[in-house]
Amino acid sequence: MLRNNRDKNSRGVVLVIVLVLFMALSGLTLMTIEVSSRGAVEASRVRNEYEAGFKAEEALYMVYDILKDDNTPFSDTPREEWARKWEDDGLVIQITPCDSKININKLIESSDSKRALSILSNLLPRGADVKTMAGSLAVWTGKSVNSKLKKIDSFFYASQFPSYAPRGGKLKVPEELLLVRGWEDLGREWVDDNVTVWGSGKININFVSRSLLNALFPDLGKGVERIIHWRRTRGFTDISQVLSVVGLDSGSTLYMNMMAELGVKSEIFEARVSATVGDCTLVKRYVVSRSNALEIGETSLLYQNNISVTFAEDQ
């Protein structure tokens, strides 16, 4: 009887061991399948991102071709073929003149500091400490400022993680502005809508936003809407057309300021390229120069960078 009990116990132990081993092997098998599945997904993502990047690189030559087809060498308007959104097989291209925005480097360098502060006051969100922000921007770009503000800014940059220091020169890209003390809360969208670092400084009246027009020339009043309507239906081919469109006197200070700060021809363009392959969408920025109005075909790349890479299942 005792031997039978021992045999039963032994068989029970063996059965338990077999069950434990089976469960362990099953778990290991599932883990292996999961790891393999993840590896396949990651490999697919890497491949799609690579192909999307290659597709975006190829799009640069499309941008060149689109700009070469411009047949109006002395003005650029929203009615141009290149100004529309281009879409083709997972590729979206949007070209805008860089001089549709304010060149922050040119504004800092302006000899008319009163005028520069006035523009910033009208452009920045209500309640912004414009003088301090302008001063911190001057510190960042290495301009002469008071030592007290410089110490405050240096402490701010040193206290960040990771810490950093002012460039001491011109901004290289618009979003660098968000590193400057006091400007960090404006956000990327505000910068994208209002600021550039490329171009001669003159703003193309055919593409400038309503808000920037108001910031530059608050005395325009209802003239802003007339400008918007004219450029949408016809487009300005000469800046002197604002005389009749807005109803200005040729000797007025407002008109003189507009002549000095606005133009109708763009030399540098920003192309946003969105390339989609599978579940991956890569957005790339190209900054392209087309400097000689008499040689439309001459284009060159000034700057490029990736803005974002996203995957459908992560959104």
Side-chain angles (χ1 to χ4, degrees):
M1 182 69 72
L2 182 61
R3 183 174 180 177
N4 289 338
N5 287 337
R6 287 178 178 174
D7 290 342
K8 288 180 180 179
N9 290 338
S10 297
R11 285 196 295 270
V13 170
V14 171
L15 181 60
V16 170
I17 293 174
V18 170
L19 287 173
V20 169
L21 288 173
F22 177 76
M23 291 175 65
L25 288 172
S26 297
L28 184 60
T29 301
L30 289 173
M31 288 176 62
T32 303
I33 293 171
E34 183 180 358
V35 169
S36 298
S37 177
R38 286 181 181 177
V41 170
E42 288 301 317
S44 176
R45 282 190 166 197
V46 170
R47 182 175 62 253
N48 288 344
E49 182 178 346
Y50 174 80
E51 291 180 1
F54 185 73
K55 194 172 190 176
E57 292 285 349
E58 286 186 316
L60 174 60
Y61 299 97
M62 291 182 64
V63 172
Y64 286 157
D65 289 339
I66 290 168
L67 289 173
K68 285 177 183 178
D69 288 339
D70 185 357
N71 56 7
T72 56
F74 301 107
S75 66
D76 291 300
T77 76
R79 297 166 65 83
E80 310 285 352
E81 188 68 11
W82 59 259
R84 69 178 179 86
K85 181 184 287 188
W86 294 74
E87 299 181 77
D88 178 44
D89 191 25
L91 195 64
V92 179
I93 301 174
Q94 184 71 64
I95 302 174
T96 57
C98 288
D99 58 11
S100 62
K101 310 167 190 178
I102 197 159
N103 188 320
I104 196 70
N105 285 327
K106 298 293 183 182
L107 190 67
I108 300 165
E109 295 170 350
S110 173
S111 58
D112 189 348
S113 58
K114 185 177 179 181
R115 172 68 175 154
L117 282 174
S118 174
I119 292 171
L120 286 177
S121 297
N122 295 327
L123 188 61
L124 289 169
R126 186 171 298 178
D129 187 346
V130 178
K131 287 187 177 180
T132 300
M133 291 174 71
S136 292
L137 188 54
V139 170
W140 184 270
T141 55
K143 303 298 179 184
S144 177
V145 293
N146 69 71
S147 57
K148 183 179 179 181
L149 182 61
K150 188 173 183 178
K151 287 180 181 179
I152 294 172
D153 285 356
S154 296
F155 178 79
F156 172 81
Y157 300 131
S159 65
Q160 302 302 299
F161 183 80
S163 61
Y164 57 96
R167 174 179 294 280
K170 293 181 180 180
L171 278 72
K172 298 298 184 182
V173 292
E175 52 270 25
E176 185 183 332
L177 189 62
L178 297 175
L179 295 174
V180 182
R181 186 178 76 89
W183 296 77
E184 66 274 12
D185 293 332
L186 291 177
R188 180 66 180 266
E189 185 176 351
W190 185 92
V191 171
D192 286 345
D193 290 344
N194 297 288
V195 175
T196 188
V197 296
W198 298 287
S200 64
K202 276 201 171 188
I203 297 173
N204 191 326
I205 192 173
N206 287 307
F207 292 91
V208 61
S209 69
R210 181 182 279 101
S211 60
L212 185 50
L213 260 181
N214 279 314
L216 290 166
F217 311 107
D219 294 337
L220 266 177
K222 294 181 179 180
V224 171
E225 297 306 320
R226 293 172 187 157
I227 288 172
I228 300 295
H229 175 74
W230 181 272
R231 74 186 192 189
R232 185 175 62 248
T233 56
R234 301 186 184 184
F236 289 90
T237 56
D238 191 286
I239 198 64
S240 64
Q241 290 172 314
V242 298
L243 289 171
S244 58
V245 172
V246 180
L248 297 177
D249 184 84
S250 60
S252 66
T253 301
L254 177 56
Y255 176 64
M256 294 300 176
N257 287 338
M258 293 180 76
M259 284 285 289
E261 297 178 14
L262 298 178
V264 297
K265 181 64 183 172
S266 296
E267 297 180 352
I268 300 177
F269 301 82
E270 178 179 315
R272 293 286 179 111
V273 175
S274 175
T276 300
V277 175
D279 65 343
C280 177
T281 298
L282 183 145
V283 180
K284 195 175 186 73
R285 169 173 61 188
Y286 295 108
V287 179
V288 177
S289 171
R290 189 195 63 188
S291 58
N292 193 330
L294 297 177
E295 298 177 10
I296 291 298
E298 297 301 316
T299 55
S300 60
L301 180 65
L302 299 180
Y303 180 81
Q304 63 175 311
N305 73 310
N306 289 347
I307 294 176
S308 65
V309 179
T310 56
F311 294 88
E313 65 182 49
D314 294 338
Q315 297 177 348

